[in-house]
Amino acid sequence: MTRTAPAPARPVRRPSRGRLAVVALGIVAALLAVRIVTGGADVDLPDLLSDLITFTLSVIIESLPFVLLGVLLSLVVQVWVKDAWISRVLPSAPVPRRIVLSLLGVVFPVCECGNVPFARGLMLRGVPVSDSFAFLLAAPIINPVTIITTHQAFGFDDGILVVRLVGGFLIANLVAWLYSRHPEPERLLTDRFAAECRMPHSESGGRAGRALGIFQHETASMLPALFLGALVAGAIQVAVPRDVLLALGTHPVLSVLAMMALAIVISVCSSVDAFFVLPFASSFLPGGIVAFLLLGPIVDVKMLALLRTTFTPRTLAQISGVVALACLAIGLGVNLVS
Amino acid sequence: MSRDLAGRSGLLLTAITCVATLWLAISGDLILYIHPRYVVFTAVLAAVGLVLCVAALVLVRGDGHEDHGDHDDHDDHDDHAGGRRWPRIVGATAVGLVALALVAAPPATLSSTTAAQRDITGTPANVEGPDATELSAAAPDVSAGFTVLDWSSLLRQSSDPAVFADRTVDVVGFVTPDPADPENVFYVSRFMITCCAVDAQPVGVPVYQEGWADELSPDDWVHVEGEFASNPSPASDAALAVVPDGVEIVEEPDEPYLF
């Protein structure tokens, strides 16, 4: 019996950069042409479908710049920031390190959508998984944009601003501390992201090329999640009558639960959620307003979809439970003293 | 899906979103989805994103992580590759439909169905609006430029006909039937936006016109002129309503939302 030697692998011919550039620009031109042609079409969709599309696209378009900013910050951290700089900035002791991470939003105010890719970048550079929660959960609340807009909306009335900041800080550090005791923190991550974290940090190739590679990789994770989160958030908007929730405003317990439910379904950006909830302040007790402002930036439909790119469903369920209980306790406490 | 294509799916979705966003910005329709204060910021980031997409497609090989060795490269949500086929198919279909909507759905404002679902009278939407106690003493022309938002804010503060006496209402909005008396009362309505369309809060001014549905349909944009009076409808919850001198169907305004 004669054995045939395997044929040598043929080198894969990659199209030239010039040809790829033509293809890329052709795709952009085709998309633009389709968009222009369909933009003026007189299509009479049913109200619910039309509103579902408007809601879904609204969430995507509103989130897009923040997601892109987060991806850009993430690739800067991965490509241009040196390990020595990270270890110099972050304290080695766990508690101070988590405190510093929970205040990092002050210098990187990228909204909750952008925080996910940024946190992924931090973990890929060796920041512990549990510590990343301190950043992820606190940064949407403790950042200058959110602080200014919350102050513009409420001033110091009913202590809403102070409770929001202190509550966000405490919840983030509580969750980070809880998970710092986890014996196998890698099990909190999706298999794929855990595998990425295990890989050695690559310094090969040009920085621009590596940065574009990270851009491509992160958008492949973030955009499908954003689309799905936006679709679910949009579907809830057309399916759940909002006045059902708002009828519960003056009950000391139900008002808090109703505003927490609203925070989860509304998926509004943390930088402006104070303006959104301001009109409800006259019909809802302050505990409900505080619970909305604490829970929304951490746990909402869109945010959960984005976090799902990185964490297992079990982890997200646990975090949602802990955060919701903490927000409920704080909201009830505010109603008790107000 | 091949590894190469799967790796580049994010670039395609990003490019679709960026192209749609830039087109909406150029055509002036981006404000149907987000507050005007975000238009420039969003358009600039969309342009940057589009440039990066093109650069990545030209310069990056494979999925962008080729240097890192082999790993499961199909789906971030795919923790256990076996037995999760249908969720993946459903997810990919949903993502595809959303992408299609970004490219092909004509820009549209929210409808009266959503306005009716969100309790058009329930929430004080503008705490910095005109003050009802000051309106009585103000000159008649003070209220000449009042919008639907201003009038609805005043109606929440007072239902005293004296406050609104001799004030002419001259507003534009879309028709939303009054749920309590849909045959004789409709709200001339607008949505108020804080951040994006998801947080849209409807505001409206009740208009009493018997059999309005003979001439108008829900979602029609109308110009209403008239004065407030005690609402003749016994079924409606609104104490006051505009009894119109005229209701005229008009084109949707360039800025259909109030900000």
Side-chain angles (χ1 to χ4, degrees):
Chain A
M1 186 171 140
T2 53
R3 180 177 290 178
T4 312
R10 292 174 61 185
V12 178
R13 286 195 59 186
R14 179 175 165 76
S16 69
R17 285 181 175 170
R19 183 174 293 181
L20 281 173
V22 170
V23 170
L25 294 175
I27 290 172
V28 172
L31 287 173
L32 193 57
V34 173
R35 188 59 279 195
I36 290 170
V37 168
T38 55
D42 190 13
V43 182
D44 197 14
L45 297 173
D47 279 357
L48 284 179
L49 178 59
S50 176
D51 289 353
L52 170 64
I53 292 173
T54 301
F55 283 135
T56 303
L57 300 195
S58 170
V59 173
I60 292 171
I61 292 170
E62 186 257 339
S63 306
L64 175 75
F66 295 104
V67 170
L68 289 175
L69 266 183
V71 170
L72 291 175
L73 279 174
S74 174
L75 64 85
V76 165
V77 166
Q78 292 183 64
V79 175
W80 278 279
V81 175
K82 295 183 184 304
D83 285 335
W85 187 85
I86 292 177
S87 55
R88 199 162 58 234
V89 168
L90 291 181
S92 53
V95 173
R97 186 171 64 237
R98 290 196 290 267
I99 289 175
V100 169
L101 282 166
S102 62
L103 299 176
L104 205 56
V106 174
V107 286
F108 294 114
V110 287
C111 198
E112 66 257 42
C113 316
N115 285 339
V116 178
F118 187 38
R120 286 163 60 93
L122 289 174
M123 282 185 273
L124 288 168
R125 292 307 298 269
V127 171
V129 178
S130 58
D131 290 5
S132 75
F133 292 132
F135 168 74
L136 264 174
L137 306 192
I141 295 173
I142 306 174
N143 74 68
V145 179
T146 305
I147 293 170
I148 289 169
T149 53
T150 308
H151 181 262
Q152 282 179 339
F154 293 101
F156 290 102
D157 294 351
D158 296 319
I160 287 173
L161 173 61
V162 174
V163 175
R164 184 179 204 192
L165 294 176
V166 174
F169 177 83
L170 292 177
I171 291 172
N173 279 279
L174 169 70
V175 172
W177 173 76
L178 284 174
Y179 280 106
S180 71
R181 308 178 69 79
H182 196 288
E184 295 177 275
E186 267 204 0
R187 291 174 64 88
L188 303 172
L189 303 172
T190 59
D191 288 351
R192 179 177 180 182
F193 189 67
E196 285 179 36
C197 289
R198 282 193 297 270
M199 290 166 196
H201 180 65
S202 172
E203 298 280 344
S204 64
R207 282 182 169 172
R210 276 195 288 138
L212 286 172
I214 292 168
F215 179 80
Q216 175 173 314
H217 188 72
E218 286 298 306
T219 54
S221 296
M222 289 295 135
L223 266 291
L226 176 62
F227 279 27
L228 287 177
L231 182 61
V232 174
I236 291 173
Q237 298 299 317
V238 296
V240 180
R242 193 177 291 175
D243 43 2
V244 172
L245 294 176
L246 302 187
L248 308 169
T250 52
H251 191 284
V253 177
L254 294 181
S255 67
V256 178
L257 292 172
M259 289 308 271
M260 287 170 62
L262 185 66
I264 291 169
V265 302
I266 189 71
S267 299
V268 70
C269 174
S270 69
S271 61
V272 293
D273 58 359
F275 290 130
F276 169 77
V277 80
L278 177 61
F280 299 110
S282 61
S283 50
F284 270 78
L285 292 171
I289 304 296
V290 164
F292 176 93
L293 293 172
L294 278 174
L295 186 64
I298 302 172
V299 179
D300 66 38
V301 171
K302 177 187 64 181
M303 184 69 170
L304 287 174
L306 291 172
L307 288 170
R308 181 68 185 92
T309 61
T310 309
F311 302 102
T312 63
R314 183 186 170 91
T315 310
L316 295 182
Q318 289 171 347
I319 291 175
S320 301
V322 171
V323 172
L325 282 175
C327 292
L328 179 63
I330 293 172
L332 293 177
V334 169
N335 278 351
L336 201 63
V337 299
S338 65
Chain B
M1 194 185 290
S2 76
R3 177 185 169 125
D4 217 32
L5 194 58
R8 292 204 167 107
S9 61
L11 292 182
L12 183 61
L13 296 178
T14 308
I16 287 171
T17 312
C18 291
V19 167
T21 301
L22 287 170
W23 175 77
L24 287 167
I26 292 166
S27 63
D29 285 335
L30 202 51
I31 57 170
L32 301 186
Y33 300 94
I34 57 174
H35 192 284
R37 67 172 167 268
Y38 297 120
V39 165
V40 173
F41 169 65
T42 303
V44 168
L45 263 296
V48 170
L50 193 58
V51 169
L52 288 172
C53 283
V54 172
L57 186 62
V58 174
L59 298 174
V60 177
R61 300 184 64 186
D63 76 334
H65 267 206
E66 281 193 344
D67 295 337
H68 292 165
D70 61 341
H71 54 271
D72 179 17
D73 194 29
H74 294 289
D75 192 331
D76 281 305
H77 300 261
D78 184 17
D79 289 338
H80 309 285
R84 308 259 325 248
R85 190 175 167 200
W86 281 108
R88 279 216 309 273
I89 291 173
V90 171
T93 305
V95 169
L97 288 174
V98 173
L100 182 66
L102 273 164
V103 173
T109 51
L110 294 170
S111 71
S112 61
T113 304
T114 292
Q117 191 227 41
R118 295 191 173 192
D119 190 2
I120 203 163
T121 62
T123 308
N126 182 7
V127 294
E128 294 181 356
D131 190 318
T133 55
E134 294 172 3
L135 186 65
S136 308
D141 61 338
V142 166
S143 57
F146 278 6
T147 63
V148 169
L149 179 59
D150 296 321
W151 288 118
S152 66
S153 175
L154 286 165
L155 285 171
R156 288 188 189 99
Q157 297 171 50
S158 173
S159 56
D160 180 2
V163 171
F164 300 91
D166 301 324
R167 299 277 168 191
T168 300
V169 177
D170 186 348
V171 292
V172 170
F174 61 91
V175 173
T176 302
D178 181 352
D181 186 4
E183 291 171 2
N184 300 309
V185 180
F186 68 86
Y187 281 83
V188 55
S189 327
R190 300 290 281 265
F191 280 105
M192 185 186 162
I193 302 290
T194 308
C195 172
C196 63
V198 169
D199 65 50
Q201 174 63 38
V203 290
V205 176
V207 177
Y208 180 84
Q209 183 176 339
E210 283 181 35
W212 60 266
D214 295 339
E215 299 162 26
L216 306 171
S217 301
D219 291 318
D220 279 349
W221 281 85
V222 290
H223 174 211
V224 174
E225 210 172 332
E227 291 191 6
F228 281 107
S230 290
N231 191 350
S233 164
S236 173
D237 295 331
L240 301 177
V242 173
V243 179
D245 299 327
V247 177
E248 173 192 10
I249 294 180
V250 295
E251 288 285 309
E252 180 178 308
D254 291 338
E255 286 194 3
Y257 300 141
L258 299 172
F259 303 104

